[in-house]
Amino acid sequence: MGRHSLPDAYAPEERGDASPRRRRRTIAIATLLVLAVATGTGVAVKGGLLSFSESCEDSAVHLSLAASPDIAPAVRAIAEEALANEVRSDGHCLDVDVVARDSYKVADALAGGGEAPDFQVWLPDSDLWLDRAEGLGTGIPISPSDSVASSPVGLAMVPSASQRLGWPKKTYSWAGVVTAALTSDKVRLGAADPARSATGLLALTSIAASSGQQGGDSDTRVAETAKVLAERMSDSDAQVLETLARSGSGAEEGNPKRNQAVLISEQAAFTHNTEGAGSGRLNLFYPKDGTPLLDYPYTLVDEEKLTLVQSRAALRFMTLLNDTDSRAVFARYGFRPAGGEAENAVVTAAGGKSPQPYAASAAEAPSAKDLQEMLGMWTITVQSARLTTVVDASGSMSTPVPGRGQSRMDVTKESLIQALTQFTADDEIGLWEFATTLDGKKDYRKLMPTRRLGDPAQGGSTHREKLAAAFAGLQPVPGGATGLYDTTLASYKEAQSSYLKGKFNALVILTDGSDQDEDGISRSALVAELKELADPERPVPIIAIAVGPDADREEVAEIARITGGDGYEVSDPAEIQAVILQAIMTAGQNGRAAQE
């Protein structure tokens, strides 16, 4: 079905400050679903098509809604009230079962396809999960609509720490408040894992954007901040609140294992302050360069497989979540309206106070590209990588790249050398090259072992310097065919046999896919071998990058996915650096999910 807006009479109210990203989202529900709302139902009743004489128990339409754990209680309260009041869709009472599910887990499950989900509607805490759920478009389809609530992300502190930073009178940018927190008597700062938490990722992306405005080496500053956050990282937003220092008798200062500041949403601070769960009240800083919003997009899952009754009921429940009574329920649970307008009672309870700019317009949502790059940086920064890089040296790599005056190999080498600067001294990287009969009967040759970049090497240099020189020395083999399959199997076996726990282990293969060798192992045999070798206890995802117009991304993707990795295509080898970062982030997420 095509995507289109709800009819004006039933659409959520327009909010002038909605971001372009939010305005672009419209639900994919056919016009006939208008019958789900009260007017259409009334017409059907008058025509004798429906009867309200049945009890709710007999006539209810059942839906399951997977909601982010923070908003699930509010949505559950609205659903229970709707059932109690016999709110109906086409004469059927709405019976919506709300289950709390972590957004990152749902997104990864949907992207991976597999078993059909046990819910029809999804309410993640941020639309950034929609991009992850859609992935390469091969998973379970989703149909996102507009937001039902929102909550800005800020920096919360225990009173002793916030007062040292001049709260509430002093205002800061994102970069400023984090720098102040980390340099003011070493305030201990915690956050949720940006790979699992929209709050953590939006905050880190905001810090990076703010740092970039300051000029200088902002990438280094952001990486340093990421390392500090990683040392006190929690798996979820709920867990990061549990790390806070306890109040009273100087306890806020005393325990070095507890945080005095945390990156959380306004709603999380609201819940913490109103429930008083073991630790004292938090004060909330709202950075003056804009607070990003958690925006809770209402999303249908595998819409085409829903029955007509379910589709109508899902639409009816969405309109219910956007009505005045439901907004009041959301406010009682600490949420703002979908547009992000400040609710004074919510702000005060969450620890906000004037002149903190809590009523300022929300920051523009970061692009999918910004988020991917930030996650790639995070994965590389906080989890040391162990990568074996395998580069195609077949004769076709000498083909000129249009408009660049360089060969595919030349541009590939430059990209690899540039990508090398993104890795730390603790990361381990090795290098193989491959082309037919490169080393006797072998189609591959190991040029550099997979070792720490910071390790000393002969001649007084480091492994990083030797590896950069090896990248620079790569040359196409005249007349050489690709030899991809034998090389993939051999390099995968070695990478798996040398697997190191606690690091992100992966095999990065770059090939232009031309002139495939017909004498080695067949593609089907390679696939069968990889299926046997793949071990979730020792994950080594293959990141396969198809370089140039002759490469077949789908072919390398199918091979890579067996191992938990994926295939990527670049028309210009200069894009390799960005793709490697994105691929590491994606494979890292898949690896974590597989081990849980």
Side-chain angles (χ1 to χ4, degrees):
M1 297 183 185
R3 293 189 178 187
H4 61 276
S5 298
L6 292 172
D8 292 341
Y10 310 117
E13 297 174 18
E14 277 297 318
R15 300 175 178 90
D17 57 350
S19 71
R21 186 174 183 176
R22 188 174 298 116
R23 286 198 300 270
R24 286 197 301 269
R25 243 189 6 244
T26 51
I27 199 163
I29 298 179
T31 305
L32 57 87
L33 297 186
V34 173
L35 286 174
V37 299
T39 301
T41 301
V43 171
V45 170
K46 288 179 182 179
L49 299 176
L50 300 172
S51 171
F52 282 172
S53 61
E54 293 180 290
S55 69
C56 261
E57 184 176 347
D58 294 332
S59 71
V61 54
H62 302 281
L63 290 174
S64 182
L65 185 152
S68 175
D70 53 345
I71 203 171
V75 178
R76 187 177 296 116
I78 295 170
E80 290 173 351
E81 186 174 354
L83 185 60
N85 293 336
E86 300 191 6
V87 173
R88 298 181 182 245
S89 167
D90 284 357
H92 300 281
C93 283
L94 286 176
D95 182 8
V96 181
D97 178 35
V98 179
V99 293
R101 300 276 176 86
D102 289 320
S103 297
Y104 81 92
K105 290 182 179 179
V106 175
D108 289 344
L110 293 174
E115 293 184 8
D118 58 356
F119 50 88
Q120 296 79 43
V121 183
W122 179 34
L123 193 60
D125 59 2
S126 172
D127 65 0
L128 67 85
W129 300 116
L130 304 179
D131 291 323
R132 186 187 294 190
E134 290 173 341
L136 297 172
T138 57
I140 295 170
I142 58 175
S143 304
S145 182
D146 290 327
S147 303
V148 300
S150 69
S151 188
V153 175
L155 180 60
M157 294 189 185
V158 297
S160 61
S162 64
Q163 288 162 10
R164 286 203 300 273
L165 269 61
W167 182 92
K169 293 184 178 180
K170 189 167 184 179
T171 60
Y172 298 85
S173 66
W174 271 104
V177 73
V178 171
T179 299
L182 296 177
T183 58
S184 175
D185 297 330
K186 296 185 179 179
V187 171
R188 299 182 293 275
L189 174 61
D193 183 354
R196 304 180 179 204
S197 161
T199 302
L201 180 54
L202 288 171
L204 189 58
T205 305
S206 297
I207 293 166
S210 181
S211 182
Q213 294 295 318
Q214 295 181 343
D217 191 359
S218 63
D219 289 346
T220 299
R221 292 197 299 269
V222 174
E224 290 172 350
T225 300
K227 284 185 177 295
V228 171
L229 292 176
E231 292 173 359
R232 310 187 74 85
M233 183 181 70
S234 300
D235 282 345
S236 68
D237 298 319
Q239 290 181 16
V240 78
L241 283 167
E242 295 174 1
T243 68
L244 282 165
R246 307 299 182 181
S247 62
S249 304
E252 291 177 357
E253 308 294 334
N255 189 341
K257 293 183 179 180
R258 291 199 166 271
N259 293 315
Q260 299 155 302
V262 287
L263 294 163
I264 57 173
S265 70
E266 181 183 77
Q267 191 277 334
F270 174 97
T271 300
H272 175 88
N273 286 346
T274 54
E275 292 182 352
S279 56
R281 181 180 176 83
L282 295 172
N283 295 327
L284 200 54
F285 282 94
Y286 295 78
K288 59 187 178 183
D289 45 358
T291 53
L293 286 179
L294 299 179
D295 58 355
Y296 306 93
Y298 190 90
T299 305
L300 296 189
V301 177
D302 212 355
E303 181 195 353
E304 291 188 356
K305 292 187 179 179
L306 300 183
T307 66
L308 182 59
V309 171
Q310 287 176 322
S311 295
R312 290 173 170 175
L315 177 59
R316 180 69 181 95
F317 191 62
M318 185 186 72
T319 62
L320 184 67
L321 291 177
N322 279 285
D323 71 17
T324 302
D325 290 341
S326 293
R327 289 185 185 183
V329 173
F330 283 130
R332 290 203 301 271
Y333 282 85
F335 293 95
R336 295 188 181 193
E341 302 91 343
E343 300 273 337
N344 288 334
V346 170
V347 170
T348 300
K353 188 175 181 180
S354 181
Q356 289 295 311
Y358 57 80
S361 297
E364 183 176 351
S367 68
K369 181 175 181 291
D370 291 338
L371 294 171
Q372 287 175 346
E373 288 179 352
M374 183 54 59
L375 274 175
M377 183 280 292
W378 172 261
T379 302
I380 290 172
T381 301
V382 306
Q383 184 182 20
S384 293
R386 179 177 172 80
L387 308 178
T388 300
T389 308
V390 184
V391 181
D392 189 344
S394 61
S396 55
M397 288 291 284
S398 62
T399 303
V401 176
R404 293 188 63 93
Q406 295 174 292
S407 69
R408 292 176 185 169
M409 180 63 88
D410 290 336
V411 180
T412 297
K413 292 190 295 186
E414 286 185 6
S415 294
L416 288 172
I417 292 170
Q418 181 62 34
L420 193 59
T421 65
Q422 301 293 316
F423 293 89
T424 71
D426 287 330
D427 293 317
E428 302 183 26
I429 301 180
L431 174 64
W432 291 32
E433 63 176 346
F434 67 100
T436 51
T437 63
L438 188 64
D439 184 12
K441 293 184 178 181
K442 293 181 181 179
D443 294 341
Y444 47 86
R445 178 165 54 199
K446 185 191 300 184
L447 298 179
M448 295 291 292
T450 303
R451 295 175 50 194
R452 286 182 70 255
L453 293 176
D455 281 354
Q458 289 183 349
S461 60
T462 64
H463 182 63
R464 183 194 299 273
E465 293 167 326
K466 291 288 188 181
L467 186 61
F471 283 148
L474 289 168
Q475 296 293 332
V477 176
T482 300
L484 174 63
Y485 302 150
D486 285 342
T487 302
T488 298
L489 182 59
S491 57
Y492 185 80
K493 285 181 176 179
E494 177 156 322
Q496 193 177 58
S497 67
S498 60
Y499 175 89
L500 283 181
K501 189 174 182 180
K503 288 183 177 286
F504 172 71
N505 295 250
L507 185 65
V508 180
I509 299 177
L510 298 100
T511 178
D512 69 357
S514 302
D515 304 320
Q516 181 59 245
D517 177 31
E518 301 294 335
D519 295 331
I521 187 174
S522 68
R523 183 168 171 274
S524 59
L526 171 63
V527 168
E529 288 253 25
L530 290 176
K531 286 180 179 178
E532 288 290 326
L533 291 169
D535 181 357
E537 298 300 319
R538 300 167 64 86
V540 182
I542 292 176
I543 298 170
I545 302 176
V547 181
D550 299 324
D552 186 344
R553 186 190 73 81
E554 283 306 316
E555 179 186 42
V556 296
E558 182 181 353
I559 294 170
R561 287 171 189 157
I562 297 168
T563 66
D566 213 332
Y568 301 82
E569 182 177 2
V570 294
S571 57
D572 184 340
E575 302 167 0
I576 289 172
Q577 178 189 0
V579 169
I580 288 176
L581 295 182
Q582 177 188 349
I584 287 174
M585 175 271 293
T586 302
Q589 291 166 354
N590 293 342
R592 279 191 295 271
Q595 295 180 67
E596 289 177 352

